[in-house]
Amino acid sequence: GNSVTQMEGPVTLSEEAFLTINCTYTATGYPSLFWYVQYPGEGLQLLLKATKADDKGSNKGFEATYRKETTSFHLEKGSVQVSDSAVYFCALIGGFKTIFGAGTRLFVKA
Amino acid sequence: GAGVSQSPSNKVTEKGKDVELRCDPISGHTALYWYRQRLGQGLEFLIYFQGNSAPDKSGLPSDRFSAERTGESVSTLTIQRTQQEDSAVYLCASNPTPGLAGDTDTQYFGPGTRLTVL
């Protein structure tokens, strides 16, 4: 069946550091891929998405590229800020059902 | 309404009592999901409704959990004989008919109901 695996957290970085959160998936067909973010005390919201191979989703300085050959959708940001501290969830939709990864908590220190 | 709404926002109950949680999806959204999120953990899928199709109940942890949805409107999640391990935030999400072109596969989450079982 479909599944999503993302790196375990927490991830702790200093402000302006480079961020990578790994996400790999298993799916039949060609799923759409997503990153959702959950800021402290708030609900989940869509961060970015990509719907086909080699597409790059981007938002708020974050980027992720849909890599079909490695079945990956790693989240990156060149320079993190304290305000990026949150839990990040990788997800896919395939067969009309969204599957979420376990989430990766990011702490950014000033 | 403008977004997914859930009620109550907080619920404190005693062990053994039944609770009912409500979700109002965005109007026109045919798909509706319930998730559970324990403190500091990820999303645990509970149940999925898609239009008038039979729901996918594969994530319900026990027969104490049940959910209903009438058509494409409100859904209620019922937990009978609550246990302390049921304490969590229960999240509802909806999205338009999946599989179609456009932004129809993005999930829109409600603020959640925080359930505390004493």
Side-chain angles (χ1 to χ4, degrees), chain A residues 82-98:
Chain A
V82 172
S83 57
D84 294 326
S85 297
V87 182
Y88 293 82
F89 294 89
C90 186
L92 67 80
I93 187 166
F96 307 134
K97 184 175 172 181
T98 301

Side-chain angles (χ1 to χ4, degrees), chain B residues 10-100:
Chain B
N10 280 286
K11 176 72 177 177
V12 179
T13 190
E14 293 179 348
K15 178 181 173 181
K17 301 282 190 184
D18 298 352
V19 296
E20 192 172 276
L21 312 180
R22 177 186 169 106
C23 172
D24 281 89
I26 293 172
S27 178
H29 282 196
T30 57
L32 186 149
Y33 299 76
W34 282 99
Y35 299 92
R36 178 168 69 180
Q37 186 177 29
R38 291 197 167 105
L39 185 63
Q41 299 188 19
L43 294 178
E44 180 184 3
F45 165 76
L46 297 178
I47 189 168
Y48 162 57
F49 295 92
Q50 174 54 50
N52 294 316
S53 302
D56 178 350
K57 303 180 181 181
S58 59
L60 295 178
S62 77
D63 59 7
R64 295 187 296 106
F65 288 73
S66 62
E68 293 184 350
R69 187 185 187 197
T70 304
E72 297 177 359
S73 61
V74 171
S75 175
T76 54
L77 176 69
T78 301
I79 308 173
Q80 295 178 309
R81 305 181 302 281
T82 51
Q83 304 295 313
Q84 288 183 331
E85 64 262 26
D86 299 335
S87 296
V89 175
Y90 289 82
L91 293 168
C92 176
S94 71
N95 62 283
T97 303
L100 300 181

Side-chain angles (χ1 to χ4, degrees), chain A residues 57-97:
Chain A
S58 60
N59 186 23
K60 300 182 180 181
F62 290 88
E63 293 183 340
T65 301
Y66 190 143
R67 301 285 188 201
K68 187 171 182 296
E69 64 276 14
T70 54
T71 61
S72 65
F73 193 55
H74 304 322
L75 183 68
E76 296 182 337
K77 186 173 186 181
S79 176
V80 293
Q81 305 300 311
V82 172
S83 57
D84 294 326
S85 297
V87 182
Y88 293 82
F89 294 89
C90 186
L92 67 80
I93 187 166
F96 307 134
K97 184 175 172 181

Side-chain angles (χ1 to χ4, degrees), chain A residues 7-30:
Chain A
M7 65 187 289
E8 289 189 21
V11 174
T12 302
L13 296 174
S14 296
E15 209 165 22
E16 299 183 3
F18 184 87
L19 168 71
T20 300
I21 300 179
N22 290 339
C23 171
T24 57
Y25 67 90
T26 302
T28 54
Y30 303 95

